[in-house]
Amino acid sequence: MKKLILSVLLATSAVPVAALPAMAAPAAQPWADRSLDAAARADLLVKAMTFDEKIQMVHGYFPPLAKPAKKMGMIPSAGHIPGIPRLGIPTLRESDASLGVANQIEQRKGDTATALPAGLATAATFSPELARAGGVMIGAEARAKTFNILLAGGVNLTRDPWNGRNFEYLGEDPLLAGVLGGEAIAGVESNHIVSTVKHYVLNSQETGRHVLDARIGEQALRESDLLAFQIAIERGRPGSVMCAYNKINGHYACEQDALLNGVLKGDWKYPGWVMSDWGAVHSTEKAALSGLDQQSGQELDKAIYFDKPLRAAIKAGRVPQARLDDMVRRILTGVIASGLMDDPVPATPQPIPLDDHADVAQAVAEKGIVLLKNEGELLPLARTARKVVLIGAHADVGVLSGGGSSQVRSTGGAPVEIPLTEGEAASFARVTWHASSPLKAIKAALPGADVRYVDGKDPAAAAAAARDADLAIVFAWQWQTEAQDTETIALPDDQDALIDAVAAANGKTLVVLETGGPVLMPWIGKVPAVLQAWYPGQRGGEAIANILTGAVNPSGRLPITFPASASQAPRPEPVGLAQLKAMQAAKAAGATSNHGVSVGVESFPVDYQEGADVGYRWYEKTGQKPLFPFGHGLSYTRFTYGKPEATGGAAPTVSIDVTNSGARAGDDVVQVYVQGGADAPTWRLAGFARVSIDPGRTQRVTIPLECRTFARFDTAQRGWVVDGGPRRFAIGRTAIDHVAEGTITLAADRMQP
Ligand code: BGC
């Protein structure tokens, strides 16, 4: 598989821009000179543009509502910004692309693409290489479909287990989300197209996402969500940053001067452009002066603020002309730096190596599925198993996917698709299964066995079918979607009762969870094995079968904490749920929002009282024991660790010998945690590495530590500060199960904000 991924990587990564054949710049087009840097070329272009051309670049159409979409050559997708042929500026065609080239509610009939598993599955691989391979794959498909701006790179941290978009993101830890997000972005951009990073910042819940006011202090924000963005931007160099819907400390994210002009463009010196989320703009002058560079999906806002009103504001001197020039320069800098100007996407759709791409999706699933429990080594499935019963979740035909703008119409189509009749997501989401049948895959893997499926609607019938089987596998599911939070993290549709009934009938019951995040497991003591399959993507059935039969040794690790009860999390349910319900009730029955852009709920605060202590740090701080901690994940082999050695100073590392002391080859994820300073002494993931080790072999692993994970952000001195001196570090099997601890001597250090 590794070989395959590599070949996909090599086949689809475009040559670096610098390596493209140098083209002499015609005297009239000095910006075509590739020896100049992107910002300098962008600057030359801006100088050649008319006022109208500049305005044209700073607002984008939403093709489903734009008129005349067809005449303007728009592809039904998220966005369209007409190019300027006389200057060689390409038309910008935007597509959602968190998990593949999206095609929500099949707006482009028959246009399928490769669907990766949920972002959480990618996060669970703890593999920068796989995250990059996923990005490379998505970027290659987008390019072949003539898209050149991808709305990808979601790195919002999981603060709440019920957030409807957790499945799209990369978990609760800033280092993990930042590194993997950055790699995915770099993978997309290796195709000479642009990727965003999104949603900047604190779009941490969907309930009231257009109006809520996320409240948090600067230090806490820098040390958590902003750190994930900072690392992702450094590693991935996205051409664009998408500002979020919500407010942060009283200001809409797309008009948050301190975060856009201050942190992003000032402290981080980000050279690209800030595009709004779709329906996230509320003003002209405030937004323009606060750092927004482009209004996206303009038909979803109350006004096309960045057209006529912006022209008027500039003419009247309320927005300086230089600001407009800066907006355009930034857009063009992102476009040129990605390679998109010099290596334009094809004019018509091109063939795609679908089999290779499906292998990438399968590899991510196989390395990201997490074996949560395996009592009595129920798994891998004995080759002697004669009778296996699969129950529920349409496991006969497919695997579940998450809903919203990230929805991919996968290559095999959608064997089950359930429209929504109500709720904020109804206009653009359907409950959709990818055509990857666990039943078919398990049958193929166990040719001698009798493998059956029952739908699980009737627990008694399911229990009867399970009674005399060698193994009963209940597929349990929970659907998540953008625009709505899951009101409870309990499994829906009485599935707990189904699991109880099957487990009572057959002691060898395995639960496979197809969920967008953590769910409660009141039955955990009654079943010997649980596999967290997330939404496993378009080869999910095959990946699950390979893990169950032992063809693949499970190696995923949880990128989020699984709470033992809803009350353990900082907020047991979505904030603002009551207001949302009242608004929905007041509307005519079935009234929905467009593209998840709802109106009618008054702004309400969400106080992130946990501050930077997100996820496992919250559990440590409040002394609570979760059901499964961050970092947890079992294997069919055993890994033992030698004594760790740390080198301190300003670039600290930890080295350790890892031995595979079991009988099968397998991958381990070595996790290094470091304690925060005296003011906030919770443990933080400071470094990690995935290693493949053959049985009986030992591998030495050296892991560089990311100092900002355990530094403190000093708001008075405006920068990161590492207090010198001894600090505790640990090698953890999970965030709380430390197999070895030691002391590292840190050098006092200050880092740029
Ligand atoms: C989502 C974004 C998405 C955009 C365009 C918004 O509703 O929040 O993630 O990129 O729509 O589809």
Side-chain angles (χ1 to χ4, degrees):
M1 188 58 69
K2 246 194 200 145
K3 245 196 188 154
L4 262 175
I5 294 169
L6 197 67
S7 65
V8 170
L9 267 171
L10 294 176
T12 53
S13 314
V15 268
V17 183
L20 289 169
M23 284 195 347
Q29 297 209 326
W31 54 86
D33 181 352
R34 289 182 194 160
S35 68
L36 300 174
D37 70 22
R41 292 174 64 185
D43 203 35
L44 289 168
L45 261 171
V46 170
K47 292 202 169 93
M49 290 169 80
T50 65
F51 184 72
D52 282 348
E53 285 168 342
K54 291 175 189 171
I55 292 285
Q56 178 179 321
M57 293 230 63
V58 299
H59 60 99
Y61 295 87
F62 181 53
L65 299 182
K67 286 186 192 106
K70 260 214 176 126
K71 216 164 141 200
M72 290 180 68
M74 293 186 200
I75 305 177
S77 70
H80 180 104
I81 294 113
I84 303 169
R86 80 170 184 96
L87 301 173
I89 297 174
T91 293
L92 304 183
R93 296 185 193 280
E94 299 174 315
S95 173
D96 278 295
S98 295
L99 311 174
V101 180
N103 184 5
Q104 313 93 359
I105 56 171
E106 214 185 356
Q107 53 178 319
R108 298 183 304 281
K109 283 276 168 248
D111 184 16
T112 58
T114 303
L116 282 183
L120 277 179
T122 294
T125 68
F126 279 70
S127 166
E129 292 77 18
L130 276 173
R132 182 178 280 249
V136 168
M137 182 279 284
I138 295 173
E141 293 199 0
R143 191 179 168 84
K145 290 172 185 288
T146 76
F147 290 114
N148 53 17
I149 310 281
L150 296 200
L151 315 175
V155 297
N156 296 90
L157 295 186
T158 302
R159 285 182 173 264
D160 296 291
W162 37 255
N163 174 18
R165 279 188 107 165
N166 283 342
F167 76 92
E168 252 184 273
Y169 302 142
L170 295 161
E172 68 191 25
D173 180 76
L175 178 67
L176 183 65
V179 168
L180 269 56
E183 291 298 322
I185 291 164
V188 168
E189 292 227 357
S190 71
N191 293 282
H192 294 168
I193 57 176
V194 169
S195 174
T196 60
V197 65
K198 69 186 187 182
H199 310 84
Y200 188 80
V201 61
L202 276 180
N203 183 177
S204 304
Q205 68 167 52
E206 295 297 282
T207 304
R209 64 177 174 163
H210 298 277
V211 294
L212 73 84
D213 183 13
R215 301 214 179 137
I216 194 167
E218 182 184 358
Q219 182 182 354
L221 186 55
R222 293 276 197 163
E223 294 175 4
S224 56
D225 299 69
L226 281 181
L227 181 55
F229 275 88
Q230 189 172 12
I231 294 172
I233 290 172
E234 287 166 2
R235 282 184 93 107
R237 304 188 174 279
S240 182
V241 173
M242 187 192 293
C243 50
Y245 283 126
N246 48 285
K247 296 179 183 174
I248 303 120
N249 297 331
H251 302 276
Y252 282 111
C254 293
E255 43 186 54
Q256 230 293 3
D257 178 63
L259 289 172
L260 299 179
N261 286 331
V263 174
L264 179 68
K265 296 180 177 179
D267 292 344
W268 299 350
K269 304 188 175 44
Y270 177 67
W273 86 97
V274 176
M275 68 163 75
S276 72
D277 201 341
W278 271 235
V281 186
H282 300 270
S283 64
T284 302
E285 284 149 49
K286 185 171 178 192
L289 296 175
S290 303
L292 178 66
D293 300 309
Q294 190 178 56
Q295 178 182 14
S296 312
Q298 60 190 24
E299 289 80 5
L300 293 164
D301 285 317
K302 282 206 188 96
I304 303 177
Y305 297 104
F306 276 19
D307 191 359
K308 283 189 190 138
L310 183 60
R311 290 170 191 266
I314 294 169
K315 293 257 151 78
R318 296 191 302 272
V319 171
Q321 170 69 40
R323 179 72 261 274
L324 175 65
D325 290 352
D326 180 48
M327 292 173 179
V328 179
R329 187 181 308 110
R330 285 174 167 282
I331 296 169
L332 292 171
T333 299
V335 163
I336 294 169
S338 73
L340 156 56
M341 279 263 292
D342 300 328
D343 183 17
V345 299
T348 53
Q350 302 296 307
I352 292 171
L354 288 172
D355 288 343
D356 289 350
H357 287 186
D359 286 341
V360 176
Q362 186 168 339
V364 174
E366 288 178 346
K367 307 248 175 197
I369 288 176
V370 183
L371 181 60
L372 292 177
K373 181 175 180 186
N374 192 20
E375 219 171 69
E377 303 202 343
L378 182 70
L379 295 177
L381 208 56
R383 291 263 154 212
T384 49
R386 283 283 153 261
K387 195 168 175 202
V388 179
V389 177
L390 274 56
I391 299 160
H394 301 288
D396 54 337
V397 291
V399 290
L400 185 61
S401 62
S405 56
S406 67
Q407 180 76 61
V408 176
R409 189 88 190 168
S410 63
T411 46
V416 182
E417 203 178 14
I418 308 167
L420 303 182
T421 51
E422 55 179 20
E424 302 303 291
S427 68
F428 73 125
R430 297 175 190 152
V431 190
T432 305
W433 270 256
H434 294 310
S436 173
S437 155
L439 177 67
K440 226 165 116 189
I442 293 171
K443 271 188 172 165
L446 299 173
D450 168 9
V451 186
R452 295 201 185 154
Y453 172 76
V454 289
D455 66 16
K457 284 189 189 134
D458 174 1
R467 195 151 289 129
D468 62 342
D470 295 317
L471 182 75
I473 310 176
V474 182
F475 285 78
W477 64 285
Q478 168 231 40
W479 186 66
Q480 283 193 340
T481 181
E482 178 188 335
Q484 294 171 197
D485 293 315
T486 35
E487 289 177 26
T488 147
I489 56 168
L491 283 172
D493 284 355
D494 270 343
Q495 293 179 85
D496 289 336
L498 172 69
I499 297 169
D500 276 344
V502 175
N506 189 330
K508 289 190 174 170
T509 293
L510 156 73
V511 177
V512 175
L513 292 165
E514 289 176 29
T515 65
V519 288
L520 300 177
M521 303 183 208
W523 34 260
I524 189 73
K526 300 179 193 160
V527 299
V530 183
L531 197 64
Q532 177 61 46
W534 315 108
Y535 303 139
Q538 75 168 50
R539 282 271 188 88
E542 290 81 352
I544 290 168
N546 281 343
I547 288 176
L548 295 185
T549 56
V552 168
N553 192 348
S555 57
R557 302 287 187 268
L558 289 184
I560 40 172
T561 306
F562 274 43
S565 69
S567 62
Q568 283 191 331
R571 288 156 291 276
E573 62 169 25
V575 183
L577 198 57
Q579 287 99 307
L580 178 72
K581 292 205 156 161
M583 180 275 284
Q584 286 170 339
K587 276 187 177 179
T592 57
S593 56
N594 205 336
H595 200 66
V597 180
S598 56
V599 282
V601 182
E602 292 299 313
S603 183
F604 57 86
V606 181
D607 279 309
Y608 288 108
Q609 32 125 356
E610 74 276 24
D613 287 318
V614 182
Y616 57 88
R617 288 169 58 175
W618 165 258
Y619 285 77
E620 182 190 342
K621 198 172 165 183
T622 54
Q624 303 184 89
K625 192 170 177 302
L627 181 59
F628 293 111
F630 175 91
H632 172 72
L634 304 175
S635 166
Y636 296 152
T637 188
R638 267 174 302 115
F639 294 100
T640 48
Y641 295 120
K643 193 173 169 346
E645 282 169 18
T647 59
T653 63
V654 168
S655 300
I656 191 159
D657 285 337
V658 185
T659 302
N660 180 345
S661 34
R664 287 167 184 264
D667 285 11
D668 188 28
V669 175
V670 185
Q671 304 164 36
V672 184
Y673 295 87
V674 175
Q675 252 184 337
D679 60 329
T682 50
W683 292 93
R684 297 99 196 265
L685 184 72
F688 59 89
R690 168 182 269 268
V691 280
S692 301
I693 310 180
D694 285 333
R697 306 300 291 244
T698 296
Q699 192 168 318
R700 185 145 187 92
V701 186
T702 296
I703 300 175
L705 306 185
E706 167 54 67
C707 291
R708 286 169 295 188
T709 60
F710 48 81
R712 77 191 143 77
F713 190 87
D714 189 319
T715 51
Q717 298 186 45
R718 307 220 61 74
W720 295 95
V721 178
V722 177
D723 297 316
R727 196 75 77 80
R728 299 296 287 163
F729 77 92
I731 301 290
R733 287 200 195 279
T734 75
I736 57 181
D737 176 12
H738 295 172
V739 284
E741 287 193 14
T743 300
I744 191 164
T745 305
L746 300 173
D749 201 5
R750 268 160 200 250
M751 289 164 283
Q752 292 295 314

